[in-house]
Amino acid sequence: MADHYEVLGVERTASPDEIKKAYRRLARELHPDVNAAPEASERFKDVTHAYDVLSDPRQREQYDLGPSQPFGGGGGQGGFGGFGDIFETFFGAGGGGGNGAPRSRKERGADALLRVEVELQDVIFGVTRELEVNTAVLCETCEGSCCAPGTRAVVCDICHGSGQIQRAVRSLLGNIMTSSPCGTCRGYGTVIPNPCPTCAGQGRVRATRTMSVDIPAGVDTGVRLQLQNQGEVGQAGGPNGDLFLEIKVNHHDIFSRNGDDILATIEVSMVDAVLGTKLTVEALDGEVGFEIKPGTQSAEIITIKDRGVTKLRGTGRGDLKIGVQVMTPTKLNGKEKEIIQIFGATHKTPPPYFATFQQGLFTKLRDRFLNL
Ligand SMILES: [Zn+2]
Ligand SMILES: [Zn+2]
């Protein structure tokens, strides 16, 4: 580690005033709000640490004694200085960046959550949606600097740019050095004399942003999509948070969903159920043709392969499952009634009997759907 006097560019005999002046000069040059270069930030930390030590008479004395006495074992008052350093390490440097470094004005923006409603047909193949998001965006006037045009942040006079106020607290073990964020600059190390009028010195403004989002096939209600860096921009132009989209798939009156399968019910006339037929009906993704076999019963399931929802994970699609409901004719004219009676006389059926318990067709259909 570099010598504290060399870091500040002063003689070992420098007066407290000379040390303070040297530090102020370097802080104006190296403070992160003024100088964006990464090596400047590193140097600023070193400079601030050197100043913290040399500006405190007791710590300076300890430092001048050299590193051969890790706990200030030389006895006398100097010993407590060593303990003070240890306590500071244990208790941390309070809020802010720690180690005497000021905290940055740039903060990561907040994550945002948006609910998006989609229709069942949208999730079969996925859909692109235009979304309006009320969010925070970078202030174009100051471009995140928070300062009015033509002005800039200046090093805080109270903490001289460290963002920390050091204080000695007496305890049974002697003086303990504690540091807390500077109240004048709120720990930033700089103050902004002329805040940007557009954003009131925040570096960002609220705005409505329109964005186009691809909602993948197969999403279901409750799924959260994470869009990285699409959340709010941070204070002072800090990095964006993430945007989360919470999906809600709207109820459909005719089609429902079971995992990757789509379920529907078809009403078939008694005659078609008895004699069989070929049907073509409009499904969510276009026409679908299938056969009703002769002798089809109510609650039978017809499975159309690969006409369900595209799988969110993996490949391929689920199936379309069609439950059959045979419709018994209710209004017959005299001729029709006669025909049915003739049919009944020639077609021998066993007398009615109690079959396996079922709570109506709807339940039976549902149970079959779920067990398939
Ligand atoms: Zn601004
Ligand atoms: Zn300050």
Side-chain angles (χ1 to χ4, degrees):
M1 188 165 173
D3 180 82
H4 289 342
Y5 292 100
E6 280 173 27
V7 166
L8 287 176
V10 295
E11 299 290 325
R12 295 192 82 82
T13 53
S15 70
D17 207 42
E18 284 168 329
I19 287 171
K20 190 182 258 184
K21 273 185 186 152
Y23 175 66
R24 280 191 184 183
R25 184 175 50 75
L26 288 165
R28 282 197 193 94
E29 179 193 332
L30 299 170
H31 191 282
D33 280 359
V34 183
N35 191 333
E39 54 284 6
S41 146
E42 276 310 301
R43 265 193 74 199
F44 182 71
K45 277 185 201 164
D46 292 344
V47 163
T48 305
H49 178 67
Y51 176 71
D52 282 346
V53 173
L54 298 186
S55 61
D56 182 78
R58 199 173 33 74
Q59 284 193 58
R60 184 178 178 184
E61 188 191 327
Q62 190 69 26
Y63 181 74
D64 288 344
L65 284 172
S68 58
Q69 298 164 313
F71 286 93
Q77 200 184 339
F80 293 121
F83 278 117
D85 286 345
I86 290 169
F87 270 88
E88 192 177 0
T89 310
F90 281 144
F91 295 135
N99 296 325
R103 67 189 178 116
S104 171
R105 270 201 169 72
K106 286 190 199 296
E107 284 173 12
R108 183 179 180 273
D111 292 337
L113 177 66
L114 200 65
R115 288 195 74 175
V116 182
E117 291 188 14
V118 294
E119 304 304 326
L120 185 57
Q121 55 263 41
D122 291 338
V123 306
I124 295 180
F125 300 116
V127 68
T128 301
R129 293 286 293 274
E130 296 289 314
L131 299 178
E132 274 205 342
V133 192
N134 184 295
T135 187
V137 299
L138 190 70
C139 171
E140 288 179 0
T141 307
C142 64
E143 290 175 321
S145 78
C146 308
C147 303
T151 71
R152 61 182 198 181
V154 296
V155 171
C156 173
D157 275 342
I158 305 302
C159 63
H160 310 297
S162 71
Q164 307 283 321
I165 298 293
Q166 301 256 338
R167 211 153 40 92
V169 177
R170 287 192 178 279
S171 81
L172 284 175
L173 291 165
N175 286 342
I176 299 171
M177 289 304 292
T178 65
S179 61
S180 52
C182 170
T184 302
C185 62
R186 294 193 294 151
Y188 295 129
T190 56
V191 290
I192 293 175
N194 302 295
C196 169
T198 308
C199 62
Q202 293 301 303
R204 56 179 181 167
V205 289
R206 289 217 77 81
T208 302
R209 194 156 68 91
T210 306
M211 57 190 298
S212 182
V213 175
D214 287 327
I215 295 176
V219 293
D220 208 344
T221 296
V223 165
R224 277 191 180 184
L225 303 173
Q226 182 177 13
L227 304 177
Q228 284 188 338
N229 305 321
Q230 298 290 329
E232 298 188 350
V233 73
Q235 176 181 273
N240 288 47
D242 297 336
L243 175 63
F244 290 86
L245 301 181
E246 190 174 285
I247 302 294
K248 178 176 185 286
V249 180
N250 286 333
H251 171 81
H252 194 288
D253 282 340
I254 294 173
F255 298 94
S256 59
R257 181 175 176 181
N258 180 41
D260 296 320
D261 295 336
I262 290 179
L263 316 179
T265 303
I266 186 112
E267 294 184 351
V268 174
S269 76
M270 183 192 73
V271 177
D272 285 344
V274 172
L275 302 176
T277 187
K278 282 191 169 129
L279 297 177
T280 302
V281 282
E282 193 67 28
L284 280 170
D285 60 337
E287 282 186 345
V288 58
F290 54 94
E291 192 185 354
I292 302 289
K293 293 201 174 73
T296 292
Q297 305 287 346
S298 268
E300 275 187 22
I301 306 284
I302 298 163
T303 296
I304 318 280
K305 283 278 177 202
D306 303 325
R307 289 296 292 269
V309 174
T310 304
K311 290 172 180 165
L312 182 60
R313 292 179 187 82
T315 52
R317 295 173 64 180
D319 301 331
L320 172 61
K321 290 179 174 171
I322 303 169
V324 176
Q325 180 164 12
V326 177
M327 304 306 285
T328 305
T330 49
K331 283 174 185 155
L332 300 176
N333 61 30
K335 180 97 192 276
E336 290 164 344
K337 201 169 176 183
E338 201 179 313
I339 293 168
I340 296 290
Q341 279 164 347
I342 294 168
F343 172 78
T346 60
H347 189 81
K348 290 290 169 219
T349 51
Y353 61 98
F354 287 119
T356 314
F357 178 72
Q358 48 181 273
Q359 298 156 307
L361 178 74
F362 186 82
T363 310
K364 192 174 175 186
L365 268 177
R366 192 197 60 196
D367 290 350
R368 288 219 186 169
F369 273 139
L370 297 181
N371 288 333
L372 276 174

